[in-house]
Amino acid sequence: MSGCDCSKAKAELEEFLHDELCREDAADIREHMESCEDCTSEHRVGVVLMETVKRACKETAPDQLRTEILARIRVEQASH
């Protein structure tokens, strides 16, 4: 019998996505998702969001945007 229901799966989803749960808790969540489309959907959204953030962190800002941001920071620093 699974030791996991929707409330536990959803509460621990972030830790599950980051592989931070103990083996037993992770297995419970995987087993629960086999029969729960709602939790499986939330997991898919979490995976897509995590991948999007990882990709965005690897990109660099265009030179013009970086120049404008640095100029604004300097203005703010100078006014304090």
Side-chain angles (χ1 to χ4, degrees), residues 16 19-28 30:
F16 180 78
D19 199 25
E20 296 174 346
L21 293 177
C22 70
R23 188 178 343 196
E24 293 81 16
D25 287 343
D28 286 345
R30 275 192 295 278

Side-chain angles (χ1 to χ4, degrees), residues 1 51 54:
M1 183 82 189
E51 289 173 354
K54 282 182 185 178

Side-chain angles (χ1 to χ4, degrees), residues 7-42:
S7 62
K8 178 181 178 185
K10 289 176 182 178
E12 296 182 349
L13 183 59
E14 187 169 344
E15 289 89 355
F16 180 78
L17 286 166
H18 294 282
D19 199 25
E20 296 174 346
L21 293 177
C22 70
R23 188 178 343 196
E24 293 81 16
D25 287 343
D28 286 345
I29 291 176
R30 275 192 295 278
E31 182 180 331
H32 173 77
M33 286 193 299
E34 288 176 6
S35 62
C36 182
E37 183 58 37
D38 188 43
C39 288
T40 300
S41 293
E42 284 207 30

